């Protein structure tokens, strides 16, 4: 059997712990150390139970030569710096989305990765969902003919805390970034122009932070495809995640998944099960596939399924969307080259 | 345009009135006269509003030479006699199911029809439902390969009155007769043996009349197919009507129909529309197709889609089922020839 | 029984003939005369078979005092003039969509209707579809909570002839006008601003006529709701007509309808029936309900379900959409008052 | 963390290896040793890679005091003997279905288990499927009202080898035993009488071994419920596993599961994904839940979810079904007490 990849985790919040649980259950990885600047007793104990040492000092990971890969789950502001430090230390990197809110910092990070010739994979787990990826296959292999219109619906069950909103960078870079990435992934083309608009009718408080609760965007791609993205911080029925691809030969649509497939018929109609409440349940399997994919890229030192370039492009689209939401106009997406 | 078929209706109860509403709306028919021995003022007025004369005397229809067709919707006991009288008067006949509870009387009726060379169509409207008939086509044209197992689910929303139950002839000849006919129609074969059993757990009062509220039957056909029939006088969610055909190449299933196709997703799951409450709504379109089919048979003097022989066979299966329900054994279906 | 409404039909093209077939089958109407400037032998014969006289002269209808209502199915350019002439002759009016491409002419027509105090109903039959109207009820009665986002998908199976395209007035006023009307109907609010864009990737020839084959629009309503409209002149699988309403309490979605509800399961997956090919099949029932609704408005001299004001507003939204598609900006919808 | 349960596996065929893969992935178990009388090189190597020692001698497991539990996946004839030997050695037992074809041997085994006070769980994994168990909950908690009729559809994709058929004990005890168990589980009652019949129309060769390829049974329960079981060794579209529970308040139905939830709409209708091919894929999750359940029973020395009594009852129903299939009559299920 292959040796597990010794990995250190930066950021032990909700998403960090979720990844750790997956990593621990996989034979591909051995989680060696966890770091969180706000490490508390509860987390310390959780890590201890999993047999993982932990500390508040990122250097504990970067300076440990036995650790060959890092997973970055810390707050967005720290991502670029951690990527650079990991790259310099020769470690392969898995980084949660978005790479950064700032395009220049992203470019610095990508440059460091390139120089060090390490793997960088970005956490767009939507790509690994079997339903979404079935549609991607059907587009890529021509099953639907020429793709003409792509529609993505992406809704969270409930808005996050206002603190989160205030630090999120806004709905486009924080939330719709998944959908911007999926649109690129599915069309296989780059976005030329974006129109975006939004509203906070679902939670007026969000507008106090200069943000919106629902974001709606139309993307025009270089290959002529149009994508219509429909998102909301709230859909009271759960994590609504659907894709629709209209091609010249037909239309492929996926549906949400359901907790079970029982329908109950009464005098009042029929009733079916809930959709998963939020992304950890909805993308449970996708998170595992994503890590398996990362492990393979690391072992073979090959291009990962989701690259730093992908991470950059999604941020550039988000940037244009945010500008459009203010200007009320179709806005071009910046072209940036990673020198 | 073709001349309408001048038709008289015997029996102005619920089903008779439903047919009349359909006949009146169709250009193929002109309803000339209605007869009911218990004619009341309300019915009289309804007929008047539709421009239809009515009386209590069947002879008013049989002796009117301008009436060329009759529709028999009276109580089952009268069917055979009315068929014979109509045949002798040279009128084409549409008769509601079952032709009769008594096989000998059915044979007399069929003989009279044959001698007079008139059309006799029996009211098995399930055959004309587009969903069921799609399955029939898929079996007949080999789409599903060789048919191996047929399943029919047939449930009423609520038991009829105990008076109705007491005069119905029992669940097999009154209710499952539709399903026995559909099984023959779908398999294209004759039933060799029947096992039937039932229970009144859905309404214990039914057992006081020597009948059951749910009937379950397994039919073995001459061509090797097995049919499993599942029926109940009560399914609180509406008129449950589903067919499933397992063939060597795959399985065709139809579903109930719904009042609309809206689904509503909430924190509690999703909710869909009701199925139609009972047969008049469920088979609304089928009743019209059935009458169009009858009109065509009458006009072309051709064999109707549902013959007297079909009506007889269904009663013979019902007879075997009733015997089986008592004996607890597979029982053969009687072979009877219409000399 | 009530006397039928004596109606004359202007325009005996595809849609005119479809309405005539429905009118003839309904007891509410008697089609007295049909007019078409390009009347040919085939149409003449069809009308004769239906017992309807016909000619090439509109005045034959306007000047006949026994005709109390007119149905306008002629080319759009003639609508306003015919409305004015019908109104002056004191006849109630059913007019196909759009009322006119020109807002001033619409205003003249509405003024004439107002002065003459006749009924004017516009042919937005989508409103009468039971699936769509179920969603409207669920929004209006608060079942879904406060409506936040509305999505409409509306696609034709195949583009019309290039001749049709060249005279259509463009996708926004010709095609999406139905969806603009539905958006107003469903939200119960007026559109403040529109962003629209399109592409002819589905049929590049369309762009030679300065038009697009697929239109995508985001509408911002006065009450804060956002509507996202997705349309195409081509969806190879049939007439795709779906609505989705995201509210604070949940999301209501309807689905297309299918030719039958049989599913066939094979080693290769399962297969289901087609959706109706085009609007005459898809909105078959809705067209009948629409006419029943018109008959009731005429008989009771009451405000019809779809008014001239509704017809005007839809055109104003289409106008803003067409401007936006050129400017690449959110554009305001003109406020116009019918003095 | 809890110590893993040290388990030995008897029988390293297809099902044994599947369980081993699951056990190895679970923290609850440590697979210590595997035994198969026909151990070949390939299996030896597979076990070595998993770090599991293996041999041809069952005693290697029974005599190892460090092994506290055994999993019996060997051929049915050996089950009772292995249960007795494991019980005498004080080991907890997981035994694949059926316990035995012979009721007397089952009774001996159950007696040994009772005397030794060890855990015995039988491998009816259908109970642990989330869709089926949702229905069980809805019956048990009264959601569907009083259960009246239960329907189970259970079909394999393709018949096993004729060698397997010839040694299987027949369709009732080998195949339908799962459904007999589910019927007891769902109704919460014991079967009084059984009618069963079958056919080999799906594969005539099966009849040469005195067996049938499809089995159809009606069960009458002590509490008045009727269950209708529909099974086949072949359904070309995959492992068809559906349950339907008609209660006084409504009807709960589950559906098969699908490889993904994408639907593709074309001019020809729509197409959906496959159902899982066979039980290892269909019950993938259920097999894991089953083992978790066993681990809990072992750790807490509590009554497992599926007991030896359950295993016995299923065989007694199968026995009555086999008799009925020959006699053509409703047959009583033997009452047997484990003294």
């Amino acid at each position: 059997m292959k040796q597990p990849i010794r990995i250190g985790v930066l950021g032990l919040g909700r998403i960090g712990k979720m990844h750790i649980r997956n990593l621990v259950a996989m034979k591909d990885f051995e989680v060696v150390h966890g770091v969180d600047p706000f490490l508390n007793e509860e987390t310390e104990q959780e890590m201890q139970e999993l047999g993982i040492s932990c500390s508040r000092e990122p250097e504990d990971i970067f300076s440990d030569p036995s650790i060959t890969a890092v997973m970055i789950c810390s707050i967005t502001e720290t991502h670029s710096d951690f990527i650079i430090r990991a790259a310099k230390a020769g470690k392969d990197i898995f980084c949660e989305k978005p790479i950064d809110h700032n395009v220049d910092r992203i470019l610095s990070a990508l440059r460091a990765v390139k120089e060090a010739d390490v793997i960088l994979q970005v956490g767009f787990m939507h790509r690994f969902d079997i339903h979404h990826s079935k549609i991607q296959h059907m587009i890529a292999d021509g099953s639907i003919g020429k793709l003409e219109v792509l529609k993505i619906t992406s809704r969270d069950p409930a808005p996050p805390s206002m603190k989160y909103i205030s630090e999120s960078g806004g709905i486009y870079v924080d939330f719709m970034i998944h959908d911007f990435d999926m649109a690129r992934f599915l069309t296989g083309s780059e976005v030329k122009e974006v129109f975006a608009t939004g509203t906070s009718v679902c939670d007026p408080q969000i507008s106090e932070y200069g943000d919106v609760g629902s974001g709606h965007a139309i993307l025009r791609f270089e290959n002529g495809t149009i994508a219509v993205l429909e998102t909301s911080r709230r859909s009271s029925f759960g994590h609504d995640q659907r894709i629709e691809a209209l091609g010249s030969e037909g239309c492929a649509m996926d549906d949400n998944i359901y907790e079970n497939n029982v329908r109950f018929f009464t005098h009042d109609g029929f009733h079916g099960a809930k959709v998963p409440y939020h992304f950890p349940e909805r993308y449970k399997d996708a998170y595992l596939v994503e890590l398996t994919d990362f492990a393979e890229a690391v072992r073979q030192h090959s291009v990962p399924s989701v690259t730093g370039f992908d991470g950059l492009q999604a941020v550039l689209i988000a940037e244009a969307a945010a500008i459009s939401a203010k200007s009320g106009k179709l806005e071009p997406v910046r072209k940036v080259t990673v020198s």
Side-chain angles (χ1 to χ4, degrees), chain A residues 281-302:
Chain A
E281 300 89 43
R282 173 62 177 85
Y283 288 107
K284 195 166 155 257
D285 293 340
Y287 277 115
L288 288 169
V289 181
E290 174 184 69
L291 292 179
T292 305
D293 192 83
F294 177 58
E296 205 172 300
V298 166
R299 287 192 197 285
Q300 308 190 354
H301 198 68
S302 60

Side-chain angles (χ1 to χ4, degrees), chain A residues 193-204:
Chain A
E193 296 166 297
V194 183
F195 175 81
T197 192
T199 168
S200 291
V201 69
C202 75
D203 191 339

Side-chain angles (χ1 to χ4, degrees), chain A residues 158-168 199-214 233-234:
Chain A
S161 68
M162 288 305 131
K163 182 175 179 304
Y164 181 96
I165 291 279
S166 70
E167 296 166 353
S168 70
T199 168
S200 291
V201 69
C202 75
D203 191 339
Q205 214 189 334
I206 294 174
S207 60
E208 295 173 19
Y209 298 89
D211 201 359
V212 289
S214 71
R233 291 279 191 190
R234 184 182 74 196

Side-chain angles (χ1 to χ4, degrees), chain A residues 9-14 17 33-47 54-58 60 73-78 82 163 167:
Chain A
V9 179
L10 293 144
L12 303 176
R14 184 169 61 152
K17 284 178 182 169
H33 193 77
V35 164
D36 196 297
F38 305 105
L39 189 65
N40 58 24
E41 245 178 88
E42 191 195 333
T43 300
E44 245 174 317
Q45 199 171 330
E46 278 173 58
M47 293 302 120
C54 56
S55 68
R56 295 194 166 137
E57 182 42 58
D60 293 348
C73 304
S74 48
I75 56 169
T76 305
E77 283 64 31
T78 63
F82 284 168
K163 182 175 179 304
E167 296 166 353

Side-chain angles (χ1 to χ4, degrees), chain A residues 5-311:
Chain A
I5 298 162
R6 291 176 54 88
I7 195 164
V9 179
L10 293 144
L12 303 176
R14 184 169 61 152
I15 188 82
K17 284 178 182 169
M18 192 202 69
H19 277 307
I20 286 176
R21 275 190 300 276
N22 285 337
L23 291 166
V24 161
M26 294 170 75
K27 299 221 156 122
D28 278 316
F29 294 97
E30 185 186 343
V31 183
V32 181
H33 193 77
V35 164
D36 196 297
F38 305 105
L39 189 65
N40 58 24
E41 245 178 88
E42 191 195 333
T43 300
E44 245 174 317
Q45 199 171 330
E46 278 173 58
M47 293 302 120
Q48 202 177 342
E49 278 173 23
L50 294 166
I52 301 169
S53 66
C54 56
S55 68
R56 295 194 166 137
E57 182 42 58
E59 200 52 32
D60 293 348
I61 286 176
F62 297 124
S63 66
D64 181 343
S66 85
I67 295 177
T68 61
V70 302
M71 163 160 280
I72 303 175
C73 304
S74 48
I75 56 169
T76 305
E77 283 64 31
T78 63
H79 288 184
S80 295
D81 179 45
F82 284 168
I83 289 173
I84 291 167
R85 288 165 75 182
K88 287 194 172 149
K91 300 186 197 310
D92 292 317
I93 305 157
F94 182 98
C95 181
E96 264 306 320
K97 46 85 355 196
I99 300 184
D100 202 303
H101 297 156
N102 181 295
V103 171
D104 287 338
R105 282 206 300 263
I106 296 176
L107 290 171
S108 303
L110 298 195
R111 252 178 257 122
V113 165
K114 201 176 171 189
E115 269 165 38
D117 191 23
V118 293
I119 302 297
L120 168 62
Q121 182 165 336
V122 179
F124 290 132
M125 79 290 186
H126 289 210
R127 293 192 183 204
F128 300 98
D129 176 70
I130 53 163
H131 314 290
H132 300 339
S133 70
K134 172 72 184 174
I135 290 186
Q136 194 272 333
H137 287 306
M138 292 176 76
I139 294 170
D141 70 10
S143 299
I144 69 160
K146 180 174 167 46
L147 176 64
E148 295 169 2
V149 180
L150 178 73
K151 292 171 82 167
I152 300 178
T153 302
S154 180
R155 296 166 181 158
D156 268 7
S161 68
M162 288 305 131
K163 182 175 179 304
Y164 181 96
I165 291 279
S166 70
E167 296 166 353
S168 70
I171 197 168
Y172 304 106
V173 77
D174 177 63
F175 184 84
M176 291 186 71
I177 196 156
H178 277 297
D179 309 302
F180 295 141
D181 179 64
M182 284 305 279
R184 288 182 66 247
F185 175 58
L186 290 160
T187 60
S189 178
E190 296 300 340
V191 179
K192 220 167 57 182
E193 296 166 297
V194 183
F195 175 81
T197 192
T199 168
S200 291
V201 69
C202 75
D203 191 339
Q205 214 189 334
I206 294 174
S207 60
E208 295 173 19
Y209 298 89
D211 201 359
V212 289
S214 71
H216 318 276
I218 295 180
L219 314 182
R220 299 188 66 108
F221 284 80
E222 286 174 359
N223 69 358
T225 304
I226 285 189
V228 179
L229 276 46
E230 199 44 56
T231 70
S232 180
R233 291 279 191 190
R234 184 182 74 196
S235 74
S236 55
F237 65 100
H239 198 43
D240 188 11
Q241 297 284 302
R242 288 170 291 140
I243 289 173
E244 192 176 320
L246 178 68
S248 54
E249 300 304 316
C251 189
M253 310 179 190
D254 67 12
D255 190 9
N256 285 306
I257 60 175
Y258 299 91
E259 291 186 358
N260 60 63
N261 58 27
V262 176
R263 285 187 303 166
F264 182 42
F265 295 80
T266 71
H267 68 282
D268 197 37
F270 66 90
H271 187 266
K274 298 176 200 179
V275 304
Y277 183 70
H278 216 326
F279 65 88
E281 300 89 43
R282 173 62 177 85
Y283 288 107
K284 195 166 155 257
D285 293 340
Y287 277 115
L288 288 169
V289 181
E290 174 184 69
L291 292 179
T292 305
D293 192 83
F294 177 58
E296 205 172 300
V298 166
R299 287 192 197 285
Q300 308 190 354
H301 198 68
S302 60
V303 180
S305 294
V306 194
T307 65
F309 179 76
D310 292 325

